Amino acid sequence: MKQLITSAEVISIAFGTTNTLREEAVPAHTILAAQRRFLRPVVGRELFDLLVAENPSEECTKFTEEFLKVPLALYVASVVLPSLAVQVGTAGVVRLSGESFEVADSAAMRAALRRLRHDAEALIDAATEQLALLPTLGPLYSPEENVRSRTSLSGGIVL
């Protein structure tokens, strides 16, 4: 599976600059997992496979650039953000702090994660709306596979 976005792009899009974090802070496996976890259930298996193919079509590449990179970067940031708060090394797992820094509390961390996810969800919904309009990719998109628009009942409760 091919990465749809690089670590540098994630840092730049989600955090505004590449000067604040090293690219190693956003590992390739996290990007690949986020693609599979957040994009595949929305666009469907068939279209996802085309998007992550080694040689995607020009339309796939353009759609990824215009509509998927930003929400994917926000999803990846929401996954990697908690691990940025800790450092693993010879001293074990430690939390970083310094003279002029204050560690964010759990409520602030949850609020930041929630904001990242809500922004990503709004943008991925906009992407699927555009997807239906594309001549080649539109027919491959099946809205019934989109977990964001699926409703189900469980024990009389609407999920």
Side-chain angles (χ1 to χ4, degrees):
M1 177 171 35
K2 183 183 89 165
Q3 283 183 222
L4 298 176
I5 193 167
T6 66
S7 298
E9 288 173 315
V10 169
I11 294 167
S12 177
I13 292 168
F15 301 112
T17 178
T18 56
N19 297 333
T20 55
L21 293 173
R22 296 182 331 266
E23 288 184 36
E24 298 82 39
V26 183
H29 63 83
T30 301
I31 294 170
L32 293 171
Q35 286 176 189
R36 186 164 176 85
R37 182 175 168 199
F38 297 110
L39 293 185
R40 186 174 184 239
V42 173
V43 300
R45 186 176 40 118
E46 184 178 2
L47 183 54
F48 180 77
D49 290 344
L50 287 175
L51 293 170
V52 297
E54 286 303 318
N55 295 311
S57 69
E58 185 177 319
E59 191 172 25
C60 284
T61 303
K62 184 177 178 188
F63 180 71
T64 299
E65 287 291 327
E66 290 181 13
F67 295 103
L68 294 181
K69 278 198 175 186
V70 174
L72 181 57
L74 296 174
Y75 280 130
V76 171
S78 74
V79 171
V80 81
L81 195 59
S83 65
L84 294 175
V86 296
Q87 187 73 35
V88 179
T90 56
V93 180
V94 296
R95 185 173 48 185
L96 300 176
S97 66
E99 279 185 36
S100 60
F101 297 103
E102 185 177 326
V103 178
D105 63 0
S106 61
M109 182 67 80
R110 280 192 307 274
L113 293 174
R114 193 171 35 252
R115 185 193 63 79
L116 286 168
R117 291 275 172 93
H118 285 162
D119 289 351
E121 289 166 357
L123 293 170
I124 202 71
D125 288 343
T128 56
E129 289 171 11
Q130 283 296 319
L131 185 57
L133 304 175
L134 296 176
T136 307
L137 299 180
L140 298 174
Y141 170 63
S142 52
E144 59 274 359
E145 284 189 63
N146 184 346
V147 297
R148 302 222 4 99
S149 63
R150 190 181 309 155
T151 304
S152 61
L153 293 173
S154 178
I157 298 173
V158 178
L159 301 173

